[in-house]
Amino acid sequence: MRSSGTGPGPITPDGSPVDFYSLLRAGDEPGVVAQVTPPGGAILELGAGVGRVTHPLVDLGFDVVAVDESPEMLARVRGARTVLSRVEDLRLERRFDTVMLASQLVNTVHEPTRRALLATCARHVKPGGRVLVQWMPAEAHDRWHAGMGRTDGDVSISMAAVEEVSPGVFQATMRYAYLDDEGDERVWTQSFSSRRLTDDELAAALEAEGLRLERFLTEDRTWVAAAPAFTS
């Protein structure tokens, strides 16, 4: 199943509705990144989108390079250098204190893409730096069901449909909604596939690209810190 999206405004190749993502606030991600990055350090944010996390990191004094394949997304990023590129293709002549791979990109069902994503992380992190990976743990996949979701003020996110189409491979459709000041509801959908990875499978995928799973950074285990295996 290819990723797809519907709704008003531009939709990116992975089905992300740009206008909806622009409505979202950063959660605890900036704090997660700050705990492993030296003050004023350099951060490479892969799949930065509209800058939901980029902007708080810039405000905290970090030097951020934001990468995304969508020009519509990057046009909304401020205060950071932006690079238009697929994550898999990125080759900058620079290494960073922290490399972030967010948005559960590592849960792609396409194994070569997962390898390419993590290889990009490995070739851009400094010796002694950290790679931060946001993923969907196996136990989180096991709790997925249609109707689950959350509301944050005028914004709501819910899972409209989900199906395990083959062992460990899920197809899901999210429904996003925003109630504007006039009381009108704007609705978007985003459909995607996700691979259920175990801890051991994630560790093995990291190790294959020269990275070592170090620790989980959040109570829900959705953020992982990995260290480069090289020392020079």
Side-chain angles (χ1 to χ4, degrees):
M1 175 180 174
R2 291 180 59 84
S3 298
S4 62
T6 67
I11 304 293
T12 68
D14 71 351
S16 299
V18 177
D19 289 351
F20 177 76
Y21 277 83
S22 297
L23 296 168
L24 299 178
R25 297 189 293 263
D28 60 358
E29 296 99 332
V32 170
V33 178
Q35 70 176 283
V36 299
T37 309
I43 297 171
L44 178 62
E45 186 182 5
L46 303 173
V50 297
R52 181 180 62 87
V53 178
T54 316
H55 299 148
L57 291 174
V58 169
D59 291 342
L60 288 170
F62 294 111
D63 173 19
V64 184
V65 174
V67 178
D68 205 278
E69 68 175 342
S70 165
E72 295 89 354
M73 288 282 199
L74 285 182
R76 306 193 185 195
V77 175
R78 56 172 174 77
R81 177 191 170 195
T82 59
V83 177
L84 180 65
S85 174
R86 292 198 323 152
V87 172
E88 305 95 299
D89 300 333
L90 187 70
R91 283 171 171 78
L92 302 177
E93 298 300 320
R94 182 181 176 187
R95 292 185 183 268
F96 296 79
D97 298 297
T98 300
V99 177
M100 295 171 54
L101 183 67
S103 302
Q104 294 90 36
L105 294 176
V106 76
N107 288 100
T108 175
V109 301
H110 191 233
E111 180 67 27
T113 298
R114 179 165 35 256
R115 292 198 300 266
L117 292 169
L118 293 176
T120 295
C121 294
R123 67 174 166 263
H124 288 96
V125 66
K126 290 180 179 179
R130 292 296 180 270
V131 171
L132 302 190
V133 178
Q134 185 184 32
W135 74 313
M136 186 64 64
E139 66 269 19
H141 278 94
D142 296 339
R143 292 194 296 266
W144 276 3
H145 62 85
M148 66 182 296
R150 60 183 175 86
T151 298
D152 182 6
D154 296 328
V155 172
S156 65
I157 300 173
S158 60
M159 184 168 281
V162 62
E163 179 184 4
E164 187 172 9
V165 295
S166 62
V169 175
F170 293 78
Q171 291 181 357
T173 297
M174 304 302 297
R175 181 184 187 273
Y176 308 134
Y178 170 66
L179 194 65
D180 65 23
D181 293 338
E182 286 72 41
D184 296 323
E185 188 179 53
R186 298 161 62 193
V187 176
W188 299 264
T189 68
Q190 182 175 7
S191 298
F192 60 92
S193 300
S194 182
R195 167 75 67 180
R196 181 187 186 275
L197 297 172
T198 65
D199 291 13
D200 288 345
E201 288 170 334
L202 176 62
L206 289 164
E207 184 177 357
E209 303 307 327
L211 299 167
R212 174 176 52 84
L213 195 157
E214 189 176 60
R215 60 192 172 106
F216 297 99
L217 297 171
T218 54
E219 187 174 343
D220 63 6
R221 304 193 329 113
T222 57
W223 278 96
V224 176
F230 59 82
T231 58
S232 62

